[in-house]
């Protein structure tokens, strides 16, 4: 995508104010008496959440909480919007606030962020699992970001997409690319093509750029929830109430986004910029569960040099293919569970 200077502002702000006041949109520190950390809406207290979802240990300090289960470790900031599930950062829709006397997740984060990751099969029954549409960002007259050495985002994205296709085709999936060459394609045309091919999953592939050349790392975007803010910048934008076609897949979007971000981080050891939410046009109009990955910063000389190396692009491609495959395996597992036991209820 284009310049992400606002993300840098967020990072600078976080390093200056480690208490989550800035991350939670300028809300005061949780340590301030009478601070604006009490939300009127209902939520689920952290301890109730831990008990309900099979986390055995719950440590809570003034600023942080941590809980451990058999499969997942979850930690986060009280008063803040960041959680780490198995060390992968996810931006919540709303900060963890005191709701009805207890530090709590908001209901929207329980339903749209946490449960889709902890219990993906609960939400993926009936979803398709065969047709993958990959969308290499930019193309033709639109080069996207360009590194100091002249490496273009459009070329990096196409090369990685072709490699992802190779891996997924070998695994037996039907794979389409919105573009196969250096060709301009409007933002509207991309999801339109995915719809024509009956996509089961849509993944747009991009590289990042920032005016701050030290910005680095990998991030994955899924569509913002109606009525909630996007989390691709530090300030609280006005939440949009509008529901888009892509919001039909809110839970699947998050399961897919988490699988992609986790897989890319594990393969590259890159800095984790988190799973975030935005209202990018390709996500809004997607006819299937969708995510947009940002594989690194072309504006950062060290990351640009990595992206110029075929071995690194291959590593990224393998990990993106693996993330998509992990998500589609969960879809198949959901179908099997549904066929096996229609009345099955969740066992933590
Ligand atoms: Zn881009």
């Amino acid at each position: 995508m284009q310049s992400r200077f606002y993300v840098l502002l967020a990072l600078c702000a976080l390093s200056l104010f480690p208490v989550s006041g800035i991350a939670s949109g300028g809300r005061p520190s949780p340590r301030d008496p009478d601070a604006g950390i009490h939300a009127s809406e209902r939520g689920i207290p952290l301890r109730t959440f831990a008990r309900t979802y099979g986390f055995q240990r719950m440590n809570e300090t003034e600023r942080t909480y941590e809980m451990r289960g058999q499969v997942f470790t979850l930690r986060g900031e009280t008063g803040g919007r960041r959680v780490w599930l198995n060390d992968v950062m996810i931006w919540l829709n709303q900060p963890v606030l005191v709701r009805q006397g207890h530090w709590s997740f908001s209901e929207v984060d329980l339903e749209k962020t946490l449960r889709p990751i902890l219990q993906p099969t609960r939400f993926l029954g009936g979803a398709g699992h065969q047709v993958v549409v990959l969308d290499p960002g930019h193309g033709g007259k639109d080069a996207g970001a360009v590194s100091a050495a002249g490496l273009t985002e459009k070329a990096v994205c196409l090369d990685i997409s072709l490699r992802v296709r190779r891996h997924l085709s070998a695994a037996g999936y039907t794979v389409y690319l919105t573009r196969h060459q250096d060709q301009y394609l409007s933002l509207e045309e991309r999801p339109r093509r995915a719809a024509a091919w009956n996509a089961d999953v849509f993944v747009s592939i991009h590289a990042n750029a920032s005016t701050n050349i030290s910005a680095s790392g990998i991030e994955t975007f899924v569509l913002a929830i109606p009525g909630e803010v996007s989390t691709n910048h530090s300030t609280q934008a006005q939440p949009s109430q509008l529901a888009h076609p892509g919001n039909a897949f809110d839970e699947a979007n998050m399961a897919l986004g988490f699988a992609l971000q986790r897989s890319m981080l594990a393969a590259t050891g890159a800095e984790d910029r988190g799973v975030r939410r935005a209202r990018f046009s390709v996500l809004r109009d997607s006819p299937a569960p969708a995510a947009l990955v940002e594989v690194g910063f072309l504006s950062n000389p060290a990351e640009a040099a990595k992206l110029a190396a075929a071995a690194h692009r291959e590593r990224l491609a393998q990990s993106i293919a693996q993330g998509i495959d992990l998500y589609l395996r969960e879809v198949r597992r959901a179908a099997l569970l549904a066929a096996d036991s229609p009345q099955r209820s969740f066992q933590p």
Side-chain angles (χ1 to χ4, degrees):
M1 305 301 284
Q2 301 301 322
S3 167
R4 281 281 162 63
F5 185 58
Y6 44 83
V7 172
L8 281 159
L9 286 175
L11 286 180
C12 295
L14 282 171
S15 59
L16 286 172
F17 305 97
V19 175
S20 48
I22 297 296
S24 56
R27 289 169 198 267
S29 152
R31 285 172 299 177
D32 294 346
D34 304 321
I37 54 167
H38 293 259
S40 52
E41 71 269 33
R42 289 173 52 218
I44 179 167
L46 297 181
R47 285 178 184 281
T48 309
F49 171 87
R51 227 174 22 246
T52 309
Y53 295 93
F55 290 96
Q56 268 94 45
R57 234 181 58 211
M58 167 88 201
N59 295 322
E60 203 177 303
T61 69
E62 201 176 5
R63 290 185 195 175
T64 65
Y65 55 91
E66 180 172 349
M67 45 187 98
R68 290 177 183 278
Q70 286 188 324
V71 180
F72 284 102
T73 298
L74 189 157
R75 59 190 168 87
E77 315 160 312
T78 42
R81 297 170 75 183
R82 298 184 301 173
V83 296
W84 287 261
L85 265 166
N86 287 1
D87 294 327
V88 176
M89 190 206 296
I90 297 147
W91 290 76
L92 296 171
N93 291 286
Q94 295 181 16
V96 167
L97 296 177
V98 176
R99 294 176 171 87
Q100 299 185 328
H102 305 281
W103 286 111
S104 305
F105 292 120
S106 68
E107 285 198 338
V108 68
D109 282 306
L110 175 66
E111 295 302 328
K112 302 289 190 180
T113 306
L114 298 169
R115 288 186 68 207
I117 296 172
L118 299 175
Q119 309 175 321
T121 53
R122 292 277 287 227
F123 301 93
L124 301 177
H129 51 78
Q130 183 55 40
V131 181
V132 179
V133 175
L134 303 170
D135 176 43
H138 311 276
K141 65 183 181 186
D142 172 16
V146 184
S147 78
L151 182 63
T152 61
E153 181 183 355
K154 64 177 182 178
V156 169
C157 298
L158 180 58
D159 179 83
I160 292 174
S161 300
L162 289 166
R163 292 169 187 274
V164 176
R165 179 177 67 174
R166 212 168 300 149
H167 291 293
L168 289 175
S169 298
Y173 294 107
T174 305
V175 188
Y176 295 96
L177 263 65
T178 53
R179 66 177 178 95
H180 297 83
Q181 52 202 353
D182 186 11
Q183 166 202 4
Y184 177 76
L185 204 57
S186 73
L187 290 175
E188 296 75 31
E189 182 60 18
R190 297 165 189 265
R192 207 177 290 149
R193 291 190 179 189
W197 294 320
N198 291 315
D200 291 325
V201 61
F202 179 82
V203 176
S204 196
I205 297 175
H206 287 252
N208 238 325
S210 166
T211 48
N212 180 336
I213 62 165
S214 65
S216 70
I218 286 176
E219 58 195 1
T220 298
F221 287 92
V222 296
L223 181 60
I225 304 294
E228 301 295 328
V229 297
S230 51
T231 47
N232 57 347
H233 47 67
S234 63
T235 52
Q236 295 257 27
Q238 282 302 310
S240 163
Q241 300 294 332
L242 215 61
H244 299 282
N247 285 119
F249 316 105
D250 280 339
E251 293 84 3
N253 292 342
M254 182 47 76
L256 172 66
F258 180 76
L260 282 164
Q261 181 73 3
R262 186 179 185 180
S263 182
M264 288 189 292
L265 293 177
T268 61
E271 183 187 333
D272 180 10
R273 302 174 66 88
V275 179
R276 296 166 181 261
R277 294 186 188 274
R279 292 186 170 86
F280 298 143
S281 131
V282 291
L283 299 179
R284 284 198 313 255
D285 297 335
S286 176
L292 184 150
V293 298
E294 296 275 8
V295 296
F297 279 77
L298 282 167
S299 48
N300 179 313
E303 283 205 342
K306 277 189 187 172
L307 289 166
H312 183 70
R313 294 195 303 272
E314 175 60 19
R315 222 173 359 253
L316 280 164
Q318 267 181 25
S319 69
I320 292 168
Q322 191 182 39
I324 294 170
D325 182 51
L326 281 171
Y327 163 78
L328 292 170
R329 279 169 194 262
E330 291 295 336
V331 174
R332 291 197 291 278
R333 207 159 71 87
L336 285 174
L337 286 172
D340 180 39
S341 164
Q343 281 90 40
R344 179 184 292 266
S345 61
F346 173 66
Q347 305 288 325

